[in-house]
Amino acid sequence: MLSGRRLDLLDPSPLDVEIADIAHGLARVARWNGQTSGEHIFSVAQHSVLVEDIAARLSPGCDARLRLTVLLHDAPEYVIGDMISPFKAVLGGEYKAVEDRLMRAIHVRFGLPPERGESATKLLKRADRSAAFLEATRLAGFSLTDARRVFGRPEGAPAEVDLTPWPAELAARRFLARFEELHG
């Protein structure tokens, strides 16, 4: 990692996880395999900030730890990249096992429970699907009909949200700023 840490993907230690590495990596990982409009990629870092914002709108009383869990929902992608769900399914259990071990290490590193609870998972899925709907229709060329079929109707997503893709450096800074606000 740029921080100098050596991260063992098969047995990741929370001690080798650094938020700056996560922000840097996620800001350079493209959502939608880069098949989006705009001068820059729509990064996983920007997506994560969007999902956390939608989750806060869906559950206004949720605490900072839950919102931090949501912000970090795709954090393993800082080292393993973002793959579309159908391809993840083809890869099967081994990919999921690596992703899960990374997520546990990340959660432990930042004082979160190793496993995401049921209520957090439900909120995250609702917010993530709403973000995906917005991204699909505004950036990835989906029709409203196709996006509704694949992602359902968006909940809690602000109609006025600006999805202009951020340059990588800005995405990393905004992700880090949000992390600092939530983590303290």
Side-chain angles (χ1 to χ4, degrees), residues 21-151:
D21 291 334
I22 293 172
H24 178 84
L26 293 183
R28 286 158 177 78
V29 174
R31 292 270 298 161
W32 306 95
N33 290 328
Q35 299 300 308
T36 54
S37 60
E39 181 179 346
H40 303 282
I41 65 164
F42 190 81
S43 71
V44 175
Q46 187 172 356
H47 164 78
S48 297
V49 171
L50 174 63
V51 174
E52 187 271 327
D53 177 60
I54 293 171
R57 291 169 188 263
L58 289 170
S59 183
C62 67
D63 65 17
R65 286 174 46 92
L66 177 54
R67 290 173 68 177
L68 181 60
T69 299
V70 172
L71 181 71
L72 295 172
H73 79 281
D74 281 337
E77 294 177 10
Y78 86 106
V79 289
I80 60 175
D82 183 26
M83 286 192 236
I84 58 174
S85 297
F87 192 62
K88 284 183 185 179
V90 169
L91 293 177
E94 290 303 312
Y95 176 87
K96 185 69 176 147
V98 169
E99 185 178 46
D100 288 346
R101 284 192 296 268
L102 279 166
M103 185 58 83
R104 278 192 298 279
I106 291 164
H107 275 208
V108 169
R109 171 64 176 90
F110 300 116
L112 298 170
E115 304 292 329
R116 192 169 45 231
E118 187 178 329
S119 63
T121 299
K122 284 182 181 178
L123 176 61
L124 170 59
K125 286 185 180 199
R126 288 173 55 207
D128 200 21
R129 290 176 80 67
S130 291
F133 178 92
L134 291 174
E135 295 165 17
T137 56
R138 296 190 189 173
L139 297 169
F142 279 58
S143 70
L144 289 173
T145 302
D146 286 343
R148 283 188 185 113
R149 183 178 43 78
V150 174
F151 305 108

